[in-house]
Amino acid sequence: MAKALGMIETRGLIGSVEAADAMLKAADVRLVKQEKADAALVTIYVEGDVGAVQAAVESGREAAARVGELIASHVIPHPDDGIKKLLQTEESKTSAKPSGNPAKGEAREKAAGKKATGNQQAIKEQEQSPPESGA
C-alpha cells in the first residue's frame, strides 16, 4: 500500500468522474478503484505520497462540488496493510477461480431450448383437444 489513501464520496456518477479526473491531474496519485453503492453513492479511492494525496483530494472535492453533490472526503496517511484487502475488487477476487467449460454452458442452453419446445408442444396439444364435458 502507498503512503496515503484518499477517498471522495459523491452522489452520482458524473461528480465522481469529475473528482477522479481532477485528482489524477492535480498530483502524482494512482487511481485504486471506483466503488458504487446504494442510493447513487460513488466512492473514488486514490493512493500516493501523503502530500500528493492531500492535494489530489482537495482538488477532487472542489471539482465534485462544482458539478454534483459531494458527500464526504478523507485522507488516511500511512494506512495499515489490512486496508488493501478491503479495497480488492471483485474481479481480482474471482480471477483466480476457473471460468468453467464453455461447451457445458452451450449444452445447457441447448437442453433448455428443447425443454421450452416440449412445453410449447404440450400447450398446443391442450389448446387443440376438445374440452371435457363436466356433467
Side-chain angles (χ1 to χ4, degrees), residues 39-107:
L41 295 178
V42 184
T43 306
I44 301 292
Y45 299 93
V46 295
E47 66 181 5
D49 292 332
V50 176
V53 170
Q54 287 174 337
V57 167
E58 184 57 37
S59 179
R61 284 176 54 88
E62 293 170 7
R66 212 174 28 248
V67 298
E69 185 179 346
L70 175 70
I71 301 298
S73 68
H74 189 65
V75 174
I76 301 175
H78 310 291
D80 186 72
D81 289 334
I83 297 297
K84 190 171 188 172
K85 292 178 186 174
L86 292 175
L87 298 179
Q88 282 183 334
T89 61
E90 288 300 317
E91 182 178 304
S92 66
K93 288 179 184 177
T94 59
S95 64
K97 294 180 182 176
S99 61
N101 187 348
K104 286 184 181 178
E106 292 173 14

Side-chain angles (χ1 to χ4, degrees), residues 100-118:
N101 187 348
K104 286 184 181 178
E106 292 173 14
R108 277 190 224 116
E109 288 175 8
K110 287 180 183 177
K114 287 181 184 177
K115 287 179 187 175
T117 305

